[in-house]
């Protein structure tokens, strides 16, 4: 079969055939004119090529079971189960009903949301917290277009997410079918792997390849399109595809034959056993020579500094082993993205404030999964006299802006966690002077004192958000998992609220996407039911997630949301008003979000200046309600401070 395909594409067989037949004709005295031989050879090649494209050769060797009631959704569910998938997030649609029903039958929990973007955000959270592939399934057309923001967010955050999308039947695409658009062109720029399944037998190998691609190299989202006719059973597809009464004319009969052949090719070999389990992953590793050069650079350092990014928490290195390696290394570190919380609270090596000043003073900086984008001022924050070691799975990220503002002494393309383990082994217990760490910690303490001072300042109305967040920090339990979604309120919380451990902090990542909160909270609570999931929302961001409290209630997913309600898009107005003299489009209202949540079946509480002395009690009440199985919204009316004056939002 592959030979015919190659012959058809290359044209080699026709040329070879013609050469042989032409030579034979010449030796026979030119009995047939050469143009007849050419026409005959071309005709044979065309017939064989058409037969291959129509699947006629495959159908000769593989059975079409016309009596089977099985459907392609069962193949999808079987692959997901074989890969350890526990949840599929969705918003239901007729295009994808078979795969949802099949997942339910195989014990995969199907969780339906009120918006498709939430389904993908939830899958993203599962991917980040479990190190496996998170899965979302949505219907065709607008169902898929609703996911674009979340898929792009997963791409930027390097999360392995599998998006399954319904589509119009293969024969009806580009013919004006319901919700039929060119979905592949839409998702190719966003995904590492895109495929449209055209036959039932291709479902299993395509999904296995997609799952492997999502996790290999630099992780990221993948997309598999599943048309209607590959998901539904034979008898249903036949009813829709083949006319009940056969036409009498020759052309009509040719069309019917073509449709019958397409149907047979669609289901030929559909239920033959195929491997369903995971394929090997391709994870880049640093070479021993690169590790040794980095060991030598770091061994000469007097003021080393480590900056860990999200990639450090990717499999195959478990978080506890990475933490042990960082502690053994003994180098002061800054933690960002998914690495936040790696060392727990108040660890002596964890420096939280004054990162720019520390980077300027360091003589060796290890950027382990960190990228020189806007978060590191495009590399300008690095001292040109410092020796920079950077390790990243993605070469483009690793060298971003290195030709302009900074230059690495050693650039290592490989897995960050594995590199850190090897680096520590190579240094063999080397230690550095404690003076450097103490200098950084003293600067930390001075900065934190300024926060405590700001917490005591009065605000014109409602509660001081700095003091409020300090009280949240004092209230959070050790098993809290923090989901953050917002602008000014959440950015303030990043300075004041500490994750309790590794993989206990979820933020959108470098894309800065508002609206991740409900989806992240949903995925997080399902993955870690023993954890208390606390969501910190700005009031602007909460508008995206409010309706999903219906989802939390229906699926009995108890989370607690704290809404910092200052009646505005404050992160934007901080710049817009003083620079441009107008607050246009920046104002909101002190909406009763807690009452809106109660209308959806959740529990609602309010904090304001009226019960300022009961902040901790109200937080404890919300925590207790959550522990009893309720989703909770605490609407916190806050005023405005100068805590983040000078911050930028672009």
């Amino acid at each position: 079969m592959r030979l015919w395909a190659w012959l058809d594409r290359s044209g080699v067989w026709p040329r070879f055939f013609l050469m042989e037949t032409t030579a034979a004709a010449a030796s026979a005295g030119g009995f047939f004119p050469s143009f007849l031989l050419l026409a005959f050879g071309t005709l044979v090649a065309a017939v064989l090529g058409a037969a291959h494209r129509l699947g006629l050769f495959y159908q000769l060797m593989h059975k079409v079971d016309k009596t089977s009631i099985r459907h392609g959704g069962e193949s999808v569910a079987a692959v997901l189960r074989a890969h350890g998938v526990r949840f599929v997030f969705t918003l239901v649609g007729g295009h994808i009903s078979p795969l949802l029903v099949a997942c339910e039958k195989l014990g995969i929990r199907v969780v339906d949301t009120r918006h498709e973007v939430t389904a993908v955000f939830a899958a993203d959270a599962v991917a980040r917290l479990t190190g496996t592939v998170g899965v979302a399934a949505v219907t065709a057309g607008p169902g898929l277009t609703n996911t674009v923001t979340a898929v792009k967010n997963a791409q930027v955050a390097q999360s392995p997410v599998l998006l399954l999308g319904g589509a119009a039947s293969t024969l009806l695409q580009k013919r004006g079918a319901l919700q039929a658009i060119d979905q592949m062109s839409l998702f190719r720029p966003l995904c590492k792997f895109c495929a449209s399944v055209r036959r039932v037998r291709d479902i299993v190998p395509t999904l296995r390849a997609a799952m492997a691609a999502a996790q290999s190299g630099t992780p990221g989202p993948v997309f598999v399109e599943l048309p209607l006719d590959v998901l539904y059973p034979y008898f249903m597809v036949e009813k829709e595809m083949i006319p009940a009464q056969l036409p009498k004319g020759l052309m009509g009969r040719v069309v019917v034959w073509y449709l019958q052949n397409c149907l047979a090719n669609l289901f030929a070999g559909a239920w033959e056993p195929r491997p369903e389990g995971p394929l090997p992953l391709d994870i880049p590793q640093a070479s021993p020579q690169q590790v040794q050069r980095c060991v030598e650079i770091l061994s000469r350092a007097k003021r080393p500094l480590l900056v860990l990014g999200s990639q450090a928490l990717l499999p195959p290195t478990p978080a506890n082993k990475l933490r042990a390696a960082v502690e053994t290394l003994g180098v002061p570190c800054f933690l960002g993205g998914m690495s936040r919380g790696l060392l727990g609270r108040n660890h002596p090596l964890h420096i939280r404030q004054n990162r720019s000043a520390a980077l300027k003073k360091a003589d060796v900086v290890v950027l382990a999964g960190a990228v020189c984008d806007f978060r590191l001022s495009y590399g300008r924050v690095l001292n040109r006299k410092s020796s920079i070691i950077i390790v990243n799975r993605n070469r483009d990220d690793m060298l971003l802006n290195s030709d302009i503002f900074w230059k690495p002494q050693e650039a290592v393309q490989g897995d960050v966690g594995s590199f850190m383990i090897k680096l520590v082994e190579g240094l063999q217990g080397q230690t550095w002077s404690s003076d450097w760490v103490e200098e950084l910690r003293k600067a930390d303490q001075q900065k934190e004192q300024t926060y405590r001072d700001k917490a005591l300042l009065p605000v014109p109305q409602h509660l001081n958000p700095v003091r409020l967040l300090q009280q949240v920090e004092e209230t959070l339990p050790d098993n809290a998992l923090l989901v953050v979604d917002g602008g000014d309120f959440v950015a303030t919380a990043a300075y004041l609220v500490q994750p309790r451990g590794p993989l206990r902090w979820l933020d959108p990542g470098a894309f800065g996407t508002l609206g991740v909160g409900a989806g992240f909270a949903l995925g997080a609570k399902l993955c870690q039911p023993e954890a208390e999931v606390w969501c910190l929302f700005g009031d602007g961001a909460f508008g995206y997630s409010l309706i999903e409290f219906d989802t939390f209630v229906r699926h009995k997913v108890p989370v607690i949301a704290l809404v910092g309600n200052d009646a505005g898009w404050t992160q934007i107005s901080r710049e817009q008003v003083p620079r441009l003299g107008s607050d246009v489009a920046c104002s909101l209202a002190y909406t009763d979000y807690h009452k809106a949540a109660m209308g959806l079946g959740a529990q609602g509480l309010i904090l304001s200046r009226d019960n300022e002395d009961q902040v901790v009690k109200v937080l404890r009440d919300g925590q207790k309600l959550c522990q009893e199985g309720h989703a909770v919204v605490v609407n916190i009316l806050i005023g405005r401070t100068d805590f983040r004056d000078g911050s930028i939002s672009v």
Side-chain angles (χ1 to χ4, degrees), residues 537-608:
F537 285 100
D539 55 334
F542 189 64
Y544 294 91
S545 290
L546 173 59
I547 191 60
E548 298 298 349
F549 275 79
D550 169 78
T551 303
F552 295 139
V553 171
R554 285 186 297 108
H555 288 281
K556 297 179 173 55
V557 178
V559 301
I560 180 169
L562 311 183
V563 183
N565 186 354
D566 59 2
W569 299 96
T570 305
Q571 180 159 301
I572 307 303
S573 64
R574 279 188 187 279
E575 298 172 66
Q576 182 174 308
V577 173
R579 291 184 181 185
L580 302 175
S582 171
D583 68 348
V584 60
C586 292
S587 297
L588 296 171
Y590 284 106
T591 301
D592 288 334
Y593 295 111
H594 58 300
K595 292 182 179 179
M598 292 169 69
L600 295 170
Q603 297 291 315
L605 303 171
I606 188 166
L607 274 171
S608 67

Side-chain angles (χ1 to χ4, degrees), residues 148-224:
V148 167
T149 296
V151 173
K152 183 62 183 182
N153 193 76
Q155 182 191 44
V156 175
Q158 300 175 349
S159 293
V161 171
L162 169 62
L163 176 63
L164 302 173
S169 299
T170 52
L171 289 178
L172 293 180
Q173 292 181 10
K174 299 183 180 179
R175 295 184 180 275
L178 174 66
Q179 299 180 332
I181 60 172
D182 184 0
Q183 299 174 162
M184 300 300 292
S185 296
L186 186 63
F187 283 92
R188 281 193 187 100
L190 306 178
C191 296
K192 294 182 63 181
F193 175 101
C194 284
S196 181
V197 177
R198 316 308 285 181
R199 297 161 302 203
V200 178
R201 61 182 177 269
D202 294 333
I203 291 176
V204 170
T206 302
L207 288 178
R208 295 177 76 210
M211 300 281 272
Q215 300 172 88
S216 293
T218 305
V222 294
F223 171 58
V224 176

Side-chain angles (χ1 to χ4, degrees), residues 315-329:
T317 304
N320 60 341
K321 286 190 177 181
L322 178 63
R323 172 174 179 160
V326 171
E327 290 176 329
T328 301
L329 185 63

Side-chain angles (χ1 to χ4, degrees), residues 257-512:
W257 175 87
Y258 176 77
L259 294 175
Q260 289 173 334
N261 181 74
C262 288
L263 178 63
N265 190 39
L266 195 68
F267 284 90
W271 316 123
E272 295 174 3
R274 291 177 177 85
E276 298 167 346
L279 294 170
L281 304 182
D282 179 15
I283 298 176
Q285 297 290 338
S287 69
Q289 295 80 10
Q290 288 176 311
V291 174
Q292 182 56 38
R293 289 195 294 270
C294 294
V295 166
E296 293 170 2
I297 294 169
L298 196 55
S299 66
R300 296 191 293 267
K302 301 298 182 184
R303 298 184 306 280
L305 198 63
L306 174 63
V307 182
L308 283 172
S310 294
Q311 277 194 14
L313 272 293
L314 289 176
T317 304
N320 60 341
K321 286 190 177 181
L322 178 63
R323 172 174 179 160
V326 171
E327 290 176 329
T328 301
L329 185 63
V331 170
C333 64
F334 288 91
L335 305 175
M338 291 302 298
S339 72
R340 289 177 63 105
L342 177 67
L343 300 178
R345 295 177 70 195
N346 303 317
H347 194 284
L349 291 176
H350 182 200
I351 311 302
R352 302 181 65 238
Q353 318 294 343
N354 305 299
R355 185 175 66 179
S356 296
L359 287 168
K360 289 293 185 184
K361 293 180 179 180
D363 58 356
V364 174
V365 177
V366 181
L367 300 177
V371 180
C372 290
D373 55 14
F374 69 94
R375 291 167 292 183
L376 288 175
S377 298
Y378 309 98
R380 287 177 293 193
V381 73
L382 300 173
N383 189 335
R384 289 188 175 271
K385 295 181 180 179
S386 302
S387 297
I388 309 299
I389 297 169
I390 187 164
V391 55
N392 200 291
R393 292 195 188 190
N394 187 291
R395 179 173 175 80
D396 291 338
D397 285 352
M398 180 173 66
L399 300 178
L400 191 63
N401 298 311
S402 63
D403 55 341
I404 305 175
F405 299 119
W406 69 287
K407 195 168 187 66
Q409 184 168 345
E410 194 67 39
V412 181
Q413 185 176 1
D415 176 62
V416 175
S418 303
F419 170 83
M420 291 300 301
I421 301 292
K422 295 172 185 175
L423 184 68
V424 171
E425 291 172 351
L427 287 163
Q428 296 178 343
Q430 178 172 336
T431 59
W432 288 267
S433 171
S434 61
D435 294 346
W436 170 233
V437 178
E438 289 304 316
E439 177 185 343
L440 296 177
R441 287 192 62 77
K442 184 177 180 180
D444 242 21
Q445 292 164 1
Q446 291 174 346
K447 192 66 172 285
E448 287 169 358
Q449 181 59 49
T450 65
Y451 299 159
R452 287 190 286 271
D453 294 341
K454 287 183 180 295
L456 300 176
L457 297 176
V459 292
Q461 59 178 338
H462 302 308
L463 301 177
N464 183 324
V466 180
R467 175 57 186 150
L468 180 280
L469 286 166
Q470 287 180 339
Q471 291 171 301
V472 171
E473 164 65 15
E474 295 163 4
T475 306
L476 285 174
D478 290 338
N479 71 339
L481 195 160
L482 289 162
V483 173
V484 297
D485 183 11
D488 197 70
F489 182 68
V490 165
T492 302
Y495 290 96
L496 304 170
V497 180
Q498 297 189 54
R500 275 29 185 173
L503 299 176
R504 301 247 161 206
W505 174 278
L506 282 173
D507 63 29
F511 200 38

Side-chain angles (χ1 to χ4, degrees), residues 18-34 37:
L18 290 172
M19 290 171 60
E20 291 292 317
T21 53
T22 303
S27 65
F31 181 76
F32 294 106
S34 59
L37 294 174

